[in-house]
Amino acid sequence: MIKVLVINGPNLNLLGQREPGQYGSRSLADILQELQGFATACDVELEHLQSNSEGALVDAVQQAGRDKVDYIILNPAGYTHTSVALRDALLAVEIPFIEVHLSAVSAREPFRQVTYFADIAMGVVSGFHGEGYLLALQAIINRTDPERE
């Protein structure tokens, strides 16, 4: 069984009420419930964390290394454009990860088009609202199933 940690950054606890045109109308709890159902059906152990604190996210990445997490699905939210500390934690633990964004960041303001993570991620899923998490998990499953590669 593969272990996947889903990490969500600042303000994602406000999904469903915060700019639904950009981020969708579903809450983070709704998205994670759907993702958990998919993970269970695919025999994937899924854990998740949301924090508005950069330090808590760094701590979670470091703990994932100690817990032998196989993959991370990361939505760094606003830290996408600023967090060297989170980037360094991901490099230190060497856990493959997929960067997820609910909005199409490449079509937004110039500062939102800068990511500190894309060059070290397995891949980036952007613009599919909550479905991006499902796409990321499907990519991880495909990578772990030799018949799908």
Short mmCIF file of all heavy atoms in Angstrom, two decimals, residues 112-147:
data_model
loop_
_atom_site.label_atom_id
_atom_site.label_comp_id
_atom_site.label_asym_id
_atom_site.label_seq_id
_atom_site.Cartn_x
_atom_site.Cartn_y
_atom_site.Cartn_z
N ARG A 112 1.75 35.48 -9.70
CA ARG A 112 1.21 34.14 -9.45
C ARG A 112 1.75 33.10 -10.42
O ARG A 112 1.58 31.90 -10.24
CB ARG A 112 -0.31 34.15 -9.51
CG ARG A 112 -0.96 34.91 -8.39
CD ARG A 112 -2.45 34.65 -8.35
NE ARG A 112 -3.13 35.61 -7.53
CZ ARG A 112 -3.29 35.50 -6.21
NH1 ARG A 112 -2.83 34.44 -5.57
NH2 ARG A 112 -3.94 36.42 -5.53
N GLN A 113 2.39 33.55 -11.46
CA GLN A 113 2.95 32.63 -12.45
C GLN A 113 4.31 32.10 -12.04
O GLN A 113 4.86 31.20 -12.67
CB GLN A 113 3.02 33.33 -13.81
CG GLN A 113 1.64 33.69 -14.34
CD GLN A 113 1.69 34.49 -15.61
OE1 GLN A 113 2.67 34.46 -16.34
NE2 GLN A 113 0.62 35.21 -15.89
N VAL A 114 4.85 32.63 -10.96
CA VAL A 114 6.15 32.20 -10.44
C VAL A 114 5.92 31.11 -9.38
O VAL A 114 5.16 31.31 -8.44
CB VAL A 114 6.90 33.38 -9.79
CG1 VAL A 114 8.20 32.90 -9.15
CG2 VAL A 114 7.16 34.46 -10.82
N THR A 115 6.54 29.97 -9.58
CA THR A 115 6.44 28.89 -8.60
C THR A 115 7.83 28.46 -8.17
O THR A 115 8.72 28.29 -8.99
CB THR A 115 5.64 27.69 -9.13
OG1 THR A 115 5.80 26.59 -8.21
CG2 THR A 115 6.05 27.25 -10.51
N TYR A 116 7.98 28.29 -6.86
CA TYR A 116 9.25 27.82 -6.31
C TYR A 116 9.34 26.30 -6.30
O TYR A 116 10.32 25.76 -5.81
CB TYR A 116 9.41 28.34 -4.88
CG TYR A 116 9.82 29.79 -4.76
CD1 TYR A 116 9.56 30.72 -5.75
CD2 TYR A 116 10.47 30.24 -3.63
CE1 TYR A 116 9.92 32.04 -5.63
CE2 TYR A 116 10.84 31.57 -3.49
CZ TYR A 116 10.57 32.46 -4.48
OH TYR A 116 10.94 33.77 -4.34
N PHE A 117 8.31 25.63 -6.85
CA PHE A 117 8.24 24.18 -6.71
C PHE A 117 8.21 23.41 -8.03
O PHE A 117 8.59 22.24 -8.07
CB PHE A 117 7.00 23.80 -5.89
CG PHE A 117 6.99 24.47 -4.55
CD1 PHE A 117 6.28 25.63 -4.34
CD2 PHE A 117 7.74 23.96 -3.50
CE1 PHE A 117 6.29 26.27 -3.12
CE2 PHE A 117 7.77 24.59 -2.27
CZ PHE A 117 7.05 25.76 -2.08
N ALA A 118 7.75 24.03 -9.10
CA ALA A 118 7.52 23.30 -10.35
C ALA A 118 8.76 22.60 -10.87
O ALA A 118 8.68 21.49 -11.40
CB ALA A 118 6.95 24.24 -11.41
N ASP A 119 9.92 23.22 -10.71
CA ASP A 119 11.14 22.62 -11.26
C ASP A 119 11.62 21.40 -10.48
O ASP A 119 12.45 20.64 -10.98
CB ASP A 119 12.26 23.67 -11.35
CG ASP A 119 12.72 24.18 -10.01
OD1 ASP A 119 11.86 24.50 -9.16
OD2 ASP A 119 13.95 24.27 -9.80
N ILE A 120 11.11 21.19 -9.28
CA ILE A 120 11.51 20.01 -8.50
C ILE A 120 10.36 19.02 -8.32
O ILE A 120 10.54 17.97 -7.72
CB ILE A 120 12.12 20.41 -7.14
CG1 ILE A 120 11.11 21.17 -6.27
CG2 ILE A 120 13.41 21.21 -7.34
CD1 ILE A 120 11.57 21.40 -4.82
N ALA A 121 9.19 19.36 -8.83
CA ALA A 121 8.01 18.49 -8.72
C ALA A 121 8.02 17.43 -9.81
O ALA A 121 8.62 17.61 -10.87
CB ALA A 121 6.74 19.33 -8.83
N MET A 122 7.33 16.32 -9.54
CA MET A 122 7.11 15.30 -10.58
C MET A 122 6.30 15.90 -11.71
O MET A 122 6.47 15.53 -12.87
CB MET A 122 6.30 14.12 -10.01
CG MET A 122 7.01 13.24 -9.06
SD MET A 122 5.87 12.05 -8.25
CE MET A 122 4.88 11.42 -9.57
N GLY A 123 5.38 16.79 -11.36
CA GLY A 123 4.51 17.44 -12.32
C GLY A 123 3.66 18.48 -11.62
O GLY A 123 3.66 18.56 -10.39
N VAL A 124 2.95 19.25 -12.42
CA VAL A 124 2.09 20.30 -11.90
C VAL A 124 0.70 20.14 -12.53
O VAL A 124 0.58 19.98 -13.75
CB VAL A 124 2.64 21.71 -12.23
CG1 VAL A 124 1.70 22.80 -11.73
CG2 VAL A 124 4.04 21.88 -11.65
N VAL A 125 -0.33 20.18 -11.69
CA VAL A 125 -1.72 20.14 -12.15
C VAL A 125 -2.32 21.49 -11.77
O VAL A 125 -2.32 21.86 -10.60
CB VAL A 125 -2.51 18.99 -11.49
CG1 VAL A 125 -3.96 19.00 -11.98
CG2 VAL A 125 -1.85 17.65 -11.77
N SER A 126 -2.85 22.20 -12.76
CA SER A 126 -3.30 23.57 -12.51
C SER A 126 -4.57 23.86 -13.30
O SER A 126 -4.66 23.51 -14.48
CB SER A 126 -2.19 24.53 -12.95
OG SER A 126 -2.58 25.87 -12.84
N GLY A 127 -5.54 24.48 -12.62
CA GLY A 127 -6.71 24.99 -13.33
C GLY A 127 -7.94 24.11 -13.33
O GLY A 127 -8.94 24.46 -13.94
N PHE A 128 -7.91 22.99 -12.64
CA PHE A 128 -9.04 22.07 -12.66
C PHE A 128 -9.84 22.07 -11.36
O PHE A 128 -10.56 21.12 -11.07
CB PHE A 128 -8.57 20.64 -12.97
CG PHE A 128 -8.01 20.49 -14.35
CD1 PHE A 128 -6.65 20.52 -14.57
CD2 PHE A 128 -8.86 20.34 -15.43
CE1 PHE A 128 -6.13 20.39 -15.85
CE2 PHE A 128 -8.34 20.20 -16.71
CZ PHE A 128 -6.98 20.23 -16.92
N HIS A 129 -9.68 23.14 -10.58
CA HIS A 129 -10.35 23.25 -9.28
C HIS A 129 -10.05 21.99 -8.47
O HIS A 129 -8.91 21.50 -8.50
CB HIS A 129 -11.83 23.52 -9.45
CG HIS A 129 -12.12 24.86 -10.07
ND1 HIS A 129 -13.33 25.47 -9.96
CD2 HIS A 129 -11.35 25.70 -10.80
CE1 HIS A 129 -13.31 26.63 -10.59
NE2 HIS A 129 -12.12 26.79 -11.12
N GLY A 130 -11.02 21.45 -7.76
CA GLY A 130 -10.78 20.29 -6.89
C GLY A 130 -10.39 19.03 -7.62
O GLY A 130 -9.78 18.13 -7.03
N GLU A 131 -10.73 18.93 -8.89
CA GLU A 131 -10.38 17.74 -9.66
C GLU A 131 -8.87 17.56 -9.79
O GLU A 131 -8.39 16.46 -10.05
CB GLU A 131 -11.01 17.79 -11.04
CG GLU A 131 -12.50 17.66 -11.04
CD GLU A 131 -13.10 17.92 -12.41
OE1 GLU A 131 -12.51 18.66 -13.20
OE2 GLU A 131 -14.17 17.35 -12.66
N GLY A 132 -8.13 18.64 -9.60
CA GLY A 132 -6.68 18.56 -9.70
C GLY A 132 -6.07 17.56 -8.73
O GLY A 132 -5.09 16.88 -9.03
N TYR A 133 -6.67 17.44 -7.55
CA TYR A 133 -6.18 16.47 -6.57
C TYR A 133 -6.38 15.04 -7.06
O TYR A 133 -5.52 14.18 -6.89
CB TYR A 133 -6.88 16.65 -5.22
CG TYR A 133 -6.57 17.97 -4.55
CD1 TYR A 133 -7.36 19.08 -4.75
CD2 TYR A 133 -5.48 18.08 -3.69
CE1 TYR A 133 -7.09 20.28 -4.13
CE2 TYR A 133 -5.19 19.28 -3.06
CZ TYR A 133 -6.00 20.37 -3.28
OH TYR A 133 -5.71 21.56 -2.67
N LEU A 134 -7.53 14.79 -7.67
CA LEU A 134 -7.81 13.46 -8.24
C LEU A 134 -6.84 13.14 -9.37
O LEU A 134 -6.34 12.02 -9.48
CB LEU A 134 -9.25 13.38 -8.75
CG LEU A 134 -10.35 13.45 -7.70
CD1 LEU A 134 -11.70 13.62 -8.37
CD2 LEU A 134 -10.33 12.21 -6.81
N LEU A 135 -6.57 14.14 -10.20
CA LEU A 135 -5.61 13.93 -11.30
C LEU A 135 -4.22 13.63 -10.76
O LEU A 135 -3.52 12.76 -11.29
CB LEU A 135 -5.60 15.17 -12.21
CG LEU A 135 -6.89 15.44 -12.97
CD1 LEU A 135 -6.85 16.82 -13.62
CD2 LEU A 135 -7.14 14.36 -14.01
N ALA A 136 -3.83 14.33 -9.72
CA ALA A 136 -2.52 14.08 -9.12
C ALA A 136 -2.45 12.68 -8.54
O ALA A 136 -1.45 11.97 -8.74
CB ALA A 136 -2.24 15.13 -8.04
N LEU A 137 -3.48 12.27 -7.82
CA LEU A 137 -3.48 10.93 -7.24
C LEU A 137 -3.49 9.87 -8.33
O LEU A 137 -2.80 8.85 -8.22
CB LEU A 137 -4.66 10.74 -6.28
CG LEU A 137 -4.69 9.41 -5.54
CD1 LEU A 137 -3.39 9.15 -4.77
CD2 LEU A 137 -5.89 9.36 -4.59
N GLN A 138 -4.23 10.10 -9.40
CA GLN A 138 -4.22 9.14 -10.52
C GLN A 138 -2.83 9.03 -11.12
O GLN A 138 -2.38 7.92 -11.44
CB GLN A 138 -5.23 9.56 -11.60
CG GLN A 138 -5.33 8.56 -12.75
CD GLN A 138 -5.90 7.23 -12.30
OE1 GLN A 138 -7.03 7.15 -11.86
NE2 GLN A 138 -5.11 6.16 -12.41
N ALA A 139 -2.13 10.13 -11.25
CA ALA A 139 -0.76 10.09 -11.77
C ALA A 139 0.15 9.27 -10.86
O ALA A 139 0.99 8.50 -11.33
CB ALA A 139 -0.23 11.50 -11.95
N ILE A 140 -0.01 9.43 -9.56
CA ILE A 140 0.80 8.66 -8.60
C ILE A 140 0.48 7.17 -8.74
O ILE A 140 1.38 6.34 -8.79
CB ILE A 140 0.55 9.16 -7.16
CG1 ILE A 140 1.18 10.54 -6.98
CG2 ILE A 140 1.06 8.15 -6.13
CD1 ILE A 140 0.75 11.25 -5.71
N ILE A 141 -0.79 6.83 -8.81
CA ILE A 141 -1.19 5.43 -8.97
C ILE A 141 -0.61 4.86 -10.26
O ILE A 141 -0.09 3.74 -10.28
CB ILE A 141 -2.72 5.30 -8.91
CG1 ILE A 141 -3.21 5.61 -7.50
CG2 ILE A 141 -3.18 3.92 -9.37
CD1 ILE A 141 -4.70 5.86 -7.40
N ASN A 142 -0.69 5.63 -11.33
CA ASN A 142 -0.13 5.18 -12.61
C ASN A 142 1.37 4.91 -12.50
O ASN A 142 1.89 3.97 -13.09
CB ASN A 142 -0.38 6.20 -13.71
CG ASN A 142 -1.84 6.28 -14.10
OD1 ASN A 142 -2.67 5.50 -13.66
ND2 ASN A 142 -2.17 7.26 -14.92
N ARG A 143 2.06 5.74 -11.74
CA ARG A 143 3.50 5.58 -11.56
C ARG A 143 3.84 4.34 -10.76
O ARG A 143 4.93 3.78 -10.90
CB ARG A 143 4.07 6.79 -10.86
CG ARG A 143 4.39 7.91 -11.78
CD ARG A 143 5.74 8.38 -11.39
NE ARG A 143 6.36 8.98 -12.54
CZ ARG A 143 7.24 9.92 -12.45
NH1 ARG A 143 7.61 10.37 -11.29
NH2 ARG A 143 7.81 10.39 -13.53
N THR A 144 2.97 3.93 -9.86
CA THR A 144 3.27 2.80 -8.99
C THR A 144 2.77 1.47 -9.56
O THR A 144 3.08 0.42 -9.01
CB THR A 144 2.65 3.00 -7.59
OG1 THR A 144 1.24 3.14 -7.71
CG2 THR A 144 3.24 4.24 -6.92
N ASP A 145 2.00 1.53 -10.63
CA ASP A 145 1.49 0.33 -11.28
C ASP A 145 2.29 0.11 -12.55
O ASP A 145 2.09 0.82 -13.53
CB ASP A 145 0.00 0.51 -11.59
CG ASP A 145 -0.62 -0.73 -12.22
OD1 ASP A 145 0.11 -1.69 -12.56
OD2 ASP A 145 -1.85 -0.72 -12.40
N PRO A 146 3.19 -0.88 -12.58
CA PRO A 146 4.05 -1.09 -13.74
C PRO A 146 3.28 -1.33 -15.04
O PRO A 146 3.79 -1.03 -16.12
CB PRO A 146 4.88 -2.31 -13.38
CG PRO A 146 4.52 -2.72 -12.00
CD PRO A 146 3.39 -1.85 -11.53
N GLU A 147 2.07 -1.85 -14.96
CA GLU A 147 1.28 -2.09 -16.17
C GLU A 147 0.77 -0.79 -16.79
O GLU A 147 0.40 -0.75 -17.95
CB GLU A 147 0.12 -3.02 -15.86
CG GLU A 147 0.56 -4.43 -15.51
CD GLU A 147 -0.61 -5.34 -15.24
OE1 GLU A 147 -1.74 -5.02 -15.64
OE2 GLU A 147 -0.38 -6.39 -14.62
#
